[in-house]
């Protein structure tokens, strides 16, 4: 099998699964794993002794911060919208979805950082599109 065939098979498999490839896939998996895990955290907090509940909560809060840092890392690799893979801007803005788990846990840094992140991505996109329109005139 040559390299082109392997790449076509990889793209077809990624399209079938709906997760995409490359940074899009990583961001979507970060979101799909990180957000619903709040329900697992609630279950674990019910099962562990009271003395360990805060530690379980802090581990998940660190996970939220890690997920948001992952989004920032991908943004740093693709800072310009024109250089990003298709739909990456949308996937970057989905980092704001970590607001809901943060709200459910009362984790105020996440409640501030997640919507601020989505707003940041939207503003950078709007500025770049506006500057791009002005460059063509």
């Amino acid at each position: 099998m040559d390299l082109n065939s392997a790449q076509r098979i990889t793209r077809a498999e990624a399209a079938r699964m709906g997760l995409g490839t490359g940074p899009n896939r990583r961001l979507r998996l970060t979101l799909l794993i990180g957000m619903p895990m709040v329900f697992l955290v609630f279950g674990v907090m019910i099962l562990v002794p009271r003395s360990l509940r805060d530690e379980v909560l802090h581990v998940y809060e660190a996970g939220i911060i890690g997920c948001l840092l992952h989004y920032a890392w991908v943004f740093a690799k693709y800072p310009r919208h024109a250089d990003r893979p298709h739909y990456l801007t949308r996937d970057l803005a989905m980092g704001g979805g970590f607001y809901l788990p943060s709200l459910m846990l009362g984790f105020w840094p996440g409640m501030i950082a997640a919507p601020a992140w989505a707003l940041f991505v939207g503003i950078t996109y709007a500025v770049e599109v506006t500057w791009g329109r002005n460059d063509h005139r």
Side-chain angles (χ1 to χ4, degrees), residues 19 47 53 64 79 84 98 105 116 122:
L19 291 175
L47 297 175
R53 288 183 185 165
I64 289 175
R84 292 182 191 145
F98 285 102
L105 296 173

Side-chain angles (χ1 to χ4, degrees), residues 1-15 21:
M1 178 182 311
D2 63 344
L3 181 60
N4 289 334
S5 297
Q7 289 174 340
R8 278 184 295 160
I9 291 170
T10 302
R11 282 193 298 267
E13 183 65 20
T21 59

Side-chain angles (χ1 to χ4, degrees), residues 49-86:
R50 186 174 297 274
S51 61
L52 294 177
R53 288 183 185 165
D54 283 343
E55 282 74 14
V56 171
L57 186 61
H58 293 313
V59 167
Y60 183 69
E61 290 169 350
I64 289 175
I65 296 298
C67 290
L68 289 172
L69 287 174
H70 179 243
Y71 275 77
W73 178 69
V74 171
F75 184 86
K77 286 183 71 174
Y78 301 97
R80 293 187 39 98
H81 172 72
D83 300 333
R84 292 182 191 145
H86 195 56

Side-chain angles (χ1 to χ4, degrees), residues 21-104:
T21 59
N24 294 49
R25 181 183 185 93
R26 289 192 303 269
L27 290 179
R28 291 172 188 168
L29 285 173
T30 299
L31 189 68
L32 288 173
I33 292 169
M35 280 185 57
M37 196 171 284
V38 70
F39 300 111
L40 178 64
V41 168
F42 284 139
V44 169
M45 287 176 65
I46 291 170
L47 297 175
V48 298
R50 186 174 297 274
S51 61
L52 294 177
R53 288 183 185 165
D54 283 343
E55 282 74 14
V56 171
L57 186 61
H58 293 313
V59 167
Y60 183 69
E61 290 169 350
I64 289 175
I65 296 298
C67 290
L68 289 172
L69 287 174
H70 179 243
Y71 275 77
W73 178 69
V74 171
F75 184 86
K77 286 183 71 174
Y78 301 97
R80 293 187 39 98
H81 172 72
D83 300 333
R84 292 182 191 145
H86 195 56
Y87 292 123
L88 187 60
T89 302
R90 181 199 63 186
D91 292 338
L92 282 166
M94 291 301 292
F98 285 102
Y99 173 77
L100 187 58
S102 298
L103 182 66
M104 292 171 72

